[in-house]
């Protein structure tokens, strides 16, 4: 959601493994926590957009660190999973 305002259907496309129900629940929770802003447009059909709040943007350095860690160590994690699964 670092792309500015994003519609629900766009978020669904970005996270194809999540169900609409779970996505809606997560967005509501993040809105409650002050991490997501929700804008409702009374149009036909109604349009709802979501965007990161300033509070959520303070987490971006943490996310960047996690991405860097994943880029460095994902191969090790995958090999550990393979070893674990082979031992079952």
């Amino acid at each position: 959601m670092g792309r500015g305002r994003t519609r629900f259907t766009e978020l669904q496309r970005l996270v194809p493994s999540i169900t609409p129900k779970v996505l809606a629940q997560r967005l509501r929770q993040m809105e409650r926590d002050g991490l997501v802003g929700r804008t409702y447009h009374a149009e036909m059909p109604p349009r709802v957009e979501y965007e990161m709040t300033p509070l959520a943007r303070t987490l971006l350095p943490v996310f960047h660190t996690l991405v860097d860690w994943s880029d460095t160590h994902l191969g090790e994690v995958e090999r550990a999973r393979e070893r674990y699964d082979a031992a079952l």
Side-chain angles (χ1 to χ4, degrees):
M1 276 195 354
R3 308 160 191 254
R5 289 187 175 177
T6 307
R7 295 182 71 172
F8 187 89
T9 54
E10 294 173 64
L11 292 171
Q12 280 184 290
R13 272 187 247 122
L14 291 170
V15 190
S17 60
I18 195 168
T19 66
K21 178 182 176 182
V22 171
L23 178 59
Q25 289 172 340
R26 297 299 176 258
L27 287 167
R28 275 194 295 275
Q29 184 64 50
M30 288 188 289
E31 183 180 5
R32 181 174 182 252
D33 293 341
L35 299 173
V36 169
R38 180 180 184 270
T39 304
Y40 177 81
H41 300 275
E43 305 171 345
M44 274 312 207
R47 182 169 48 107
V48 179
E49 296 174 321
Y50 298 90
E51 74 181 312
M52 293 175 67
T53 64
L55 177 61
R57 286 187 190 87
T58 66
L59 290 167
L60 288 175
V62 175
F63 296 145
H64 290 298
T65 299
L66 287 170
V67 168
D68 291 344
W69 185 91
S70 295
D71 288 345
T72 302
H73 298 286
L74 186 58
E76 294 172 66
V77 171
E78 290 171 344
R79 287 189 294 281
R81 287 177 180 166
E82 289 169 2
R83 284 191 304 273
Y84 180 88
D85 291 347
L88 291 180

